[in-house]
Amino acid sequence: MSLTDAFHNSNNELVRALRELLDAPTLEEARRVLDQKQALLVTDVAIQLLHDFYGELMREDPLECMYDPTYVGYHSVLLMGARLRGIEKGWEEAEQLARTVRSSRAELKHGARDMLRGFQRGEQA
């Protein structure tokens, strides 16, 4: 089973917590999830799982990806920063990444997919 499959059909507490973080509709909700589930999320295992998931997403068709790799990378930076320097520093580092790619957490979720779909619609017109 691939990590993408595991994220789609999770019966694992850590994967469910990661999905809850990734699927949080707002930054405020994501902060709440991280605060409540930090014992699961701010761990080497969670960071490695996100890193591996990122690698898998990089090999998939962007139109079919569950999340853009950059969005998973944002959360990987968040959890790594939180693990090493505390949760607030983790958020600062993740937001710095978003600014570097001139985006926001919300825009990163499906940015490449949405851009490619826009190109496809333009070609069909």
Side-chain angles (χ1 to χ4, degrees):
M1 175 186 277
S2 73
L3 282 173
T4 300
D5 292 338
F7 270 78
H8 277 293
N9 306 304
S10 173
N11 61 358
N12 177 288
E13 187 178 10
L14 173 57
V15 174
R16 280 194 309 270
L18 285 167
R19 280 288 309 268
E20 194 174 340
L21 178 65
L22 292 167
D23 291 340
T26 64
L27 188 58
E28 293 74 26
E29 181 68 13
R31 284 180 172 274
R32 184 193 63 73
V33 170
L34 182 56
D35 287 343
Q36 289 179 349
K37 310 252 176 158
Q38 66 181 295
L40 283 169
L41 296 173
V42 184
T43 64
D44 292 336
V45 173
I47 292 164
Q48 186 62 51
L49 186 61
L50 269 188
H51 177 76
D52 293 346
F53 187 41
Y54 172 86
E56 191 171 294
L57 291 172
M58 290 295 290
R59 294 184 297 275
E60 291 186 4
D61 178 352
L63 292 170
E64 303 299 322
C65 280
M66 185 173 190
Y67 307 103
D68 276 8
T70 307
Y71 184 71
V72 173
Y74 169 99
H75 289 87
S76 183
V77 167
L78 164 63
L79 296 183
M80 197 174 324
R83 177 101 169 110
L84 296 173
R85 290 174 281 291
I87 289 177
E88 279 311 308
K89 282 291 185 190
W91 281 113
E92 288 174 20
E93 292 169 7
E95 286 301 304
Q96 178 60 41
L97 170 67
R99 284 190 297 277
T100 300
V101 295
R102 299 171 192 234
S103 198
S104 67
R105 177 184 179 272
E107 293 167 333
L108 289 173
K109 189 169 189 176
H110 298 295
R113 182 195 70 191
D114 294 345
M115 180 181 70
L116 290 170
R117 285 184 178 163
F119 289 149
Q120 285 181 332
R121 282 190 292 273
E123 291 173 1
Q124 295 170 355

